[in-house]
Amino acid sequence: MTFEPKPEHKFSFGLWTVGNRGRDPFGEAVRDTLTPVDAVKMLAEVGAYGVNFHDNDLVPIDAAAAERDSIVREFRAACESSGIKVPMATVNLFYEAAFRDGAFTANDANVRSYAVQKTMRAMDLGAEFGAETFVLWGGREGVETDACRRPDDAIKRFREAMNYLCEYNIAQGYGYKFALEAKPNEPRADIYFPTTGSYLAFIESLDHKEMVGVNPEVAHETMPGLNMMHAVAQAWEAGKLFHIDLNDQVPGRYDQDLRFGSANPKGAFWLVKYLEDVGYDGPRHFDAHAYRTEDFEGVKDFARGCMRTYLIFKDKGERWNANAEIKALLAEIAATDNGGVGAFSTEASAGLLGRSFDRVALASKGLKYERLDQLTMEILLGVD
Ligand code: GCO
Ligand code: MN
Ligand code: MN
């Protein structure tokens, strides 16, 4: 097993991930600026498939039209010569002071309009590179104090912006799928739509709900102690898993953006196995960054590590599925799953009410999940 990343694995990185300079609230940058063109070359070198960007990762916010055009030309040439795709684009609605009270949900209508305009322009930019998915992460859509607005007004404003952007997508013929990315907090004390599940419910209220799905992130579900794989499974079951952000995180801490699989390898294993078992075929986007201790070589180690860990878990998942003892235990589980209540009818419900269940017998046998989990651990620990 070489665990070499190949284009068909669809591994992608954001410009902001490999370009992260190690700045944090307590200290300045420790690495040099990585230009977008150099980032693309590096991603090709380590075997990635794609690169993603926020509008201003590529084009500075105050660039004149001519500068924008030459940046786009140069970046496209770099992508083409190194065979790197742009599967996803996004918009930065968090960095500028104008967004200090939110973007689509800000109280000032001019801020909201500016945010929608900036998003339309970012959609134009992504479309120039053939991006198929447009991610929206509402990092500033939240509060420190609930005195400032009613949260349901924020939801209504977010809906208005999404409906507008879907119409723009149609009018321009871009064919984007929007992927909404939830996060519970950071940089705001509380961010609206704190979980993937919140967005899944909200999407149903949109004019073009078929155009909008989710972009769950490991760290964002893990910060509040939730199970990422369960969030992903709910999105998948709803036909809404349009993108995914892979990284790692210890629950309850600040937003760590650790290398994929490095904090909770077992959770990462179940996630990879799930994605592979159901046949998710979108990009595997690593939204993480190298430790602050690293130089440029360390950033490559980080990027290679994310992809290698994914591929190792993919292999472990195949071993899990093929393991004879695991298969036998799963067959025992499946044998008990014979029927269920089925669809409601008056007769069927009368039948169900008339059945007698021996509830003591129902709990008479151990379920062997200890053994099943130990077999899982032995595969993970490499002694199977
Ligand atoms: C974060 C987020 C971002 C978004 C990105 C794409 O915690 O900062 O994960 O990295 O994914 O802005 O929209
Ligand atoms: Mn994040
Ligand atoms: Mn993210």
Side-chain angles (χ1 to χ4, degrees), residues 35-38 40-41 58 67-81 129:
T35 68
V37 166
D38 286 343
V40 163
K41 286 185 191 152
L58 186 60
E67 191 191 344
R68 176 199 190 276
D69 292 348
S70 80
I71 290 171
V72 166
R73 217 176 310 116
E74 222 195 322
F75 189 68
R76 177 175 300 109
C79 290
E80 280 170 7
S81 68
F129 290 91

Short mmCIF file of all heavy atoms in Angstrom, two decimals, residues 35-38 40-41 58 67-81 129:
data_model
loop_
_atom_site.label_atom_id
_atom_site.label_comp_id
_atom_site.label_asym_id
_atom_site.label_seq_id
_atom_site.Cartn_x
_atom_site.Cartn_y
_atom_site.Cartn_z
N THR A 35 2.18 32.88 -2.36
CA THR A 35 1.32 33.46 -3.40
C THR A 35 0.38 32.37 -3.92
O THR A 35 0.71 31.18 -3.87
CB THR A 35 2.16 33.99 -4.59
OG1 THR A 35 2.76 32.86 -5.25
CG2 THR A 35 3.22 34.98 -4.13
N PRO A 36 -0.77 32.79 -4.47
CA PRO A 36 -1.69 31.79 -5.03
C PRO A 36 -1.01 30.89 -6.07
O PRO A 36 -1.24 29.68 -6.08
CB PRO A 36 -2.79 32.65 -5.65
CG PRO A 36 -2.81 33.89 -4.81
CD PRO A 36 -1.37 34.14 -4.45
N VAL A 37 -0.18 31.46 -6.90
CA VAL A 37 0.49 30.65 -7.93
C VAL A 37 1.42 29.62 -7.28
O VAL A 37 1.43 28.44 -7.65
CB VAL A 37 1.26 31.56 -8.92
CG1 VAL A 37 2.24 30.76 -9.77
CG2 VAL A 37 0.26 32.32 -9.80
N ASP A 38 2.18 30.04 -6.27
CA ASP A 38 3.07 29.08 -5.58
C ASP A 38 2.27 28.03 -4.82
O ASP A 38 2.70 26.88 -4.71
CB ASP A 38 4.02 29.82 -4.62
CG ASP A 38 5.12 30.56 -5.38
OD1 ASP A 38 5.34 30.23 -6.57
OD2 ASP A 38 5.75 31.46 -4.80
N VAL A 40 -0.57 26.77 -5.75
CA VAL A 40 -1.02 25.79 -6.75
C VAL A 40 0.12 24.84 -7.12
O VAL A 40 -0.07 23.63 -7.20
CB VAL A 40 -1.59 26.53 -7.98
CG1 VAL A 40 -1.68 25.61 -9.19
CG2 VAL A 40 -2.96 27.10 -7.65
N LYS A 41 1.31 25.40 -7.29
CA LYS A 41 2.46 24.54 -7.64
C LYS A 41 2.73 23.54 -6.53
O LYS A 41 2.99 22.37 -6.76
CB LYS A 41 3.72 25.41 -7.86
CG LYS A 41 3.67 26.18 -9.17
CD LYS A 41 4.99 26.92 -9.39
CE LYS A 41 4.86 27.90 -10.55
NZ LYS A 41 5.77 29.05 -10.42
N LEU A 58 -7.53 35.42 -3.63
CA LEU A 58 -6.94 35.51 -4.97
C LEU A 58 -6.78 36.98 -5.38
O LEU A 58 -5.69 37.40 -5.77
CB LEU A 58 -7.84 34.76 -5.96
CG LEU A 58 -7.30 34.63 -7.38
CD1 LEU A 58 -5.98 33.88 -7.40
CD2 LEU A 58 -8.32 33.90 -8.28
N GLU A 67 -5.69 44.92 -12.61
CA GLU A 67 -4.92 44.05 -11.71
C GLU A 67 -5.66 42.72 -11.54
O GLU A 67 -5.07 41.64 -11.59
CB GLU A 67 -4.73 44.74 -10.36
CG GLU A 67 -3.73 44.03 -9.47
CD GLU A 67 -3.73 44.55 -8.02
OE1 GLU A 67 -4.28 45.65 -7.76
OE2 GLU A 67 -3.20 43.83 -7.16
N ARG A 68 -6.97 42.84 -11.34
CA ARG A 68 -7.79 41.62 -11.19
C ARG A 68 -7.60 40.72 -12.39
O ARG A 68 -7.36 39.52 -12.25
CB ARG A 68 -9.27 42.02 -11.05
CG ARG A 68 -10.21 40.84 -10.99
CD ARG A 68 -11.64 41.25 -11.31
NE ARG A 68 -12.62 40.21 -11.03
CZ ARG A 68 -12.93 39.22 -11.87
NH1 ARG A 68 -12.32 39.12 -13.05
NH2 ARG A 68 -13.85 38.34 -11.54
N ASP A 69 -7.69 41.31 -13.58
CA ASP A 69 -7.61 40.49 -14.79
C ASP A 69 -6.26 39.80 -14.92
O ASP A 69 -6.18 38.64 -15.32
CB ASP A 69 -7.90 41.34 -16.03
CG ASP A 69 -9.37 41.77 -16.05
OD1 ASP A 69 -10.16 41.22 -15.25
OD2 ASP A 69 -9.71 42.66 -16.86
N SER A 70 -5.18 40.52 -14.55
CA SER A 70 -3.88 39.87 -14.71
C SER A 70 -3.68 38.78 -13.65
O SER A 70 -3.10 37.74 -13.92
CB SER A 70 -2.74 40.89 -14.74
OG SER A 70 -2.42 41.30 -13.43
N ILE A 71 -4.22 38.99 -12.44
CA ILE A 71 -4.14 37.93 -11.41
C ILE A 71 -4.88 36.69 -11.88
O ILE A 71 -4.40 35.56 -11.78
CB ILE A 71 -4.73 38.44 -10.06
CG1 ILE A 71 -3.82 39.50 -9.45
CG2 ILE A 71 -4.96 37.28 -9.10
CD1 ILE A 71 -4.41 40.21 -8.24
N VAL A 72 -6.06 36.90 -12.43
CA VAL A 72 -6.89 35.77 -12.90
C VAL A 72 -6.16 35.02 -14.01
O VAL A 72 -6.10 33.78 -14.01
CB VAL A 72 -8.27 36.28 -13.38
CG1 VAL A 72 -9.01 35.22 -14.19
CG2 VAL A 72 -9.11 36.71 -12.18
N ARG A 73 -5.57 35.77 -14.93
CA ARG A 73 -4.85 35.14 -16.05
C ARG A 73 -3.69 34.28 -15.54
O ARG A 73 -3.53 33.13 -15.93
CB ARG A 73 -4.33 36.24 -16.99
CG ARG A 73 -4.39 35.87 -18.46
CD ARG A 73 -3.95 37.02 -19.40
NE ARG A 73 -4.60 38.29 -19.12
CZ ARG A 73 -3.98 39.42 -18.72
NH1 ARG A 73 -2.68 39.43 -18.50
NH2 ARG A 73 -4.66 40.54 -18.53
N GLU A 74 -2.92 34.87 -14.65
CA GLU A 74 -1.74 34.17 -14.13
C GLU A 74 -2.14 32.91 -13.33
O GLU A 74 -1.53 31.86 -13.44
CB GLU A 74 -1.03 35.13 -13.16
CG GLU A 74 0.48 35.17 -13.26
CD GLU A 74 1.06 35.87 -12.03
OE1 GLU A 74 0.45 36.86 -11.56
OE2 GLU A 74 2.09 35.41 -11.53
N PHE A 75 -3.20 33.06 -12.54
CA PHE A 75 -3.64 31.94 -11.71
C PHE A 75 -4.20 30.82 -12.59
O PHE A 75 -3.94 29.64 -12.35
CB PHE A 75 -4.68 32.43 -10.70
CG PHE A 75 -5.04 31.41 -9.65
CD1 PHE A 75 -4.11 31.01 -8.70
CD2 PHE A 75 -6.32 30.85 -9.59
CE1 PHE A 75 -4.43 30.08 -7.72
CE2 PHE A 75 -6.64 29.91 -8.63
CZ PHE A 75 -5.70 29.52 -7.68
N ARG A 76 -4.95 31.22 -13.62
CA ARG A 76 -5.50 30.19 -14.51
C ARG A 76 -4.37 29.43 -15.19
O ARG A 76 -4.40 28.20 -15.29
CB ARG A 76 -6.42 30.81 -15.55
CG ARG A 76 -6.92 29.74 -16.52
CD ARG A 76 -7.93 30.16 -17.55
NE ARG A 76 -9.15 30.67 -16.96
CZ ARG A 76 -9.51 31.95 -16.98
NH1 ARG A 76 -8.74 32.85 -17.56
NH2 ARG A 76 -10.66 32.34 -16.45
N ALA A 77 -3.35 30.17 -15.62
CA ALA A 77 -2.20 29.51 -16.29
C ALA A 77 -1.54 28.53 -15.33
O ALA A 77 -1.19 27.40 -15.72
CB ALA A 77 -1.21 30.57 -16.77
N ALA A 78 -1.40 28.93 -14.07
CA ALA A 78 -0.76 28.04 -13.08
C ALA A 78 -1.61 26.79 -12.86
O ALA A 78 -1.09 25.67 -12.80
CB ALA A 78 -0.56 28.78 -11.76
N CYS A 79 -2.93 26.96 -12.77
CA CYS A 79 -3.82 25.81 -12.57
C CYS A 79 -3.74 24.88 -13.77
O CYS A 79 -3.65 23.66 -13.62
CB CYS A 79 -5.26 26.27 -12.37
SG CYS A 79 -5.55 27.09 -10.80
N GLU A 80 -3.77 25.48 -14.96
CA GLU A 80 -3.76 24.63 -16.16
C GLU A 80 -2.45 23.89 -16.30
O GLU A 80 -2.44 22.68 -16.56
CB GLU A 80 -4.05 25.48 -17.41
CG GLU A 80 -5.55 25.72 -17.55
CD GLU A 80 -5.92 26.74 -18.60
OE1 GLU A 80 -5.02 27.20 -19.35
OE2 GLU A 80 -7.12 27.10 -18.67
N SER A 81 -1.33 24.58 -16.08
CA SER A 81 -0.05 23.90 -16.30
C SER A 81 0.21 22.85 -15.23
O SER A 81 0.94 21.89 -15.47
CB SER A 81 1.10 24.90 -16.41
OG SER A 81 1.29 25.49 -15.15
N PHE A 129 -13.42 30.09 -13.27
CA PHE A 129 -12.53 28.94 -13.11
C PHE A 129 -13.30 27.62 -13.15
O PHE A 129 -12.75 26.57 -12.85
CB PHE A 129 -11.75 29.05 -11.79
CG PHE A 129 -10.74 30.16 -11.82
CD1 PHE A 129 -11.07 31.43 -11.39
CD2 PHE A 129 -9.46 29.92 -12.32
CE1 PHE A 129 -10.14 32.46 -11.45
CE2 PHE A 129 -8.52 30.94 -12.37
CZ PHE A 129 -8.87 32.22 -11.94
#
